[in-house]
Amino acid sequence: MAIPVIDFSKLDGEERGNTLAQIANGCEEWGFFQLVNHGIPEELLERVKRVCSEWYKSEREEGFKNSTPVKLLNDLVESKSGEKLENVDWEDVITLLDDNEWPSHSSEFNETMKEYRYKLKKLAEKVMEVMDENLGLQKGYIKKALNSGKENQAFFGMKVSHYPPCPWPELVNGLRAHTDAGGVILLLQDEKVKGLQILKDDQWIDVEPLPNSIVINTGDLIEVLSNGRYKSVRHRVLATPDGNRRSIASFYNPSLKATIAPAPELKEPVTKEVDEAYPKFVFGDYMSVYAKQKFLPKEPRFQAVGSM
Ligand code: OGA
Ligand code: NI
């Protein structure tokens, strides 16, 4: 069993109907799918991967050796407790946010990542339009829901992660199981080292590396906007003994001030359960809850934010 691989270029041709259906299936049944022929030039993707790896080697690799996960894992192994580390991830992360100062001083890194961000954001918007169409919403509905007014533009974050080789991969996760909080997530994963898995029907399934494909998944907010038609899916990254897995996850999220609620067109005749499952809330409030409960089931998060 593997997550759907979809040729995005077919959206513009005779096979449009079939491609829309494949994406609908990816959203409804899997919460994850891989796009090929997505229009982002291979040359750019190669550059993105190279600048991220170079940057990791020069700025981060040494520091990881003294990082918290390394210390905690060493302590755990010494203690011979037989337990697993449950409160950390074997991951090195930098986040590149819209308006933050970026940590790298290399202009090649900055320019490459800006170019990538610009193209990826356009791809995310195209994917959201497909979701509008599949859900029977007006074109642009999801984008508008995530961009509420001039002052509350969506923000586009990029998370550059490395999962260095781990001497005891059975004792720690690369990244603990979670669902993503926001809208649409676009992932460029390592072409060789695997590790990403999604939970489907109570089984963990590998997201197989497919060089230069973009893995798309939907976050908690799309679940809310779609009134549960598109469920955010739990996923995790396993630690691996060899290979340094690189992944670049990009998040198209609403502004913290945006109000999120199920699309009225998708609300069933109101029942108490549905109303309680998907409340209306301000995204910033959701993020406060998420920050504390990211690795726990999502339903209590919806409940908590609904009563704020
Ligand atoms: C995340 C995530 C997956 C990966 O950052 O939320 O799920 O492959 N990343 O790094
Ligand atoms: Ni995630």
Side-chain angles (χ1 to χ4, degrees), residues 80-273:
K80 296 201 172 68
S81 71
E83 280 166 30
K84 184 171 175 173
L85 269 190
E86 296 294 356
N87 51 357
V88 289
D89 304 303
W90 190 265
E91 183 192 25
D92 177 83
V93 185
I94 51 153
T95 331
L96 307 173
L97 294 181
D98 265 350
D99 38 16
N100 284 17
E101 199 168 311
W102 290 5
S104 168
H105 297 297
S106 139
S107 58
E108 193 195 15
F109 179 93
N110 287 348
E111 275 155 25
T112 303
M113 295 310 274
K114 280 201 175 124
E115 190 182 337
Y116 179 55
R117 185 179 78 179
Y118 178 80
K119 293 228 158 69
L120 212 54
K121 197 169 168 186
K122 294 272 174 247
L123 177 62
E125 289 173 349
K126 213 167 157 191
V127 170
M128 291 191 300
E129 279 185 4
V130 171
M131 291 178 183
D132 292 334
E133 189 168 345
N134 278 333
L135 286 166
L137 297 168
Q138 227 174 30
K139 188 170 174 177
Y141 183 94
I142 296 176
K143 179 175 174 186
K144 209 163 149 205
L146 304 183
N147 288 275
S148 51
K150 258 209 161 74
E151 275 130 61
N152 290 322
Q153 291 296 297
F155 71 78
F156 194 79
M158 293 195 294
K159 180 182 166 231
V160 180
S161 300
H162 286 83
Y163 302 92
C166 178
W168 295 283
E170 61 294 346
L171 296 184
V172 65
N173 282 300
L175 178 59
R176 288 162 284 168
H178 63 283
T179 63
D180 295 334
V184 173
I185 300 94
L186 308 95
L187 182 80
L188 179 62
Q189 64 162 347
D190 201 283
E191 62 267 54
K192 290 199 204 88
V193 188
K194 50 184 191 179
L196 177 61
Q197 296 188 318
I198 68 164
L199 190 62
K200 175 151 174 72
D201 305 328
D202 295 326
Q203 264 193 319
W204 288 104
I205 296 176
D206 289 333
V207 179
E208 294 292 342
L210 190 59
N212 293 344
S213 72
I214 301 282
V215 180
I216 306 282
N217 73 295
T218 49
D220 297 344
L221 287 200
I222 297 290
E223 177 165 338
V224 174
L225 283 178
S226 71
N227 199 30
R229 301 250 198 321
Y230 295 170
K231 298 253 176 0
S232 62
V233 164
R234 268 177 104 70
H235 51 284
R236 68 181 182 188
V237 178
L238 297 180
T240 41
D242 31 46
N244 182 12
R245 180 171 179 274
R246 177 203 339 94
S247 77
I248 301 151
S250 303
F251 302 81
Y252 194 114
N253 281 358
S255 123
L256 292 176
K257 290 190 203 142
T259 299
I260 300 296
E265 295 88 331
L266 300 179
K267 282 203 99 165
E268 280 113 39
V270 182
T271 65
K272 198 160 176 295
E273 292 75 30

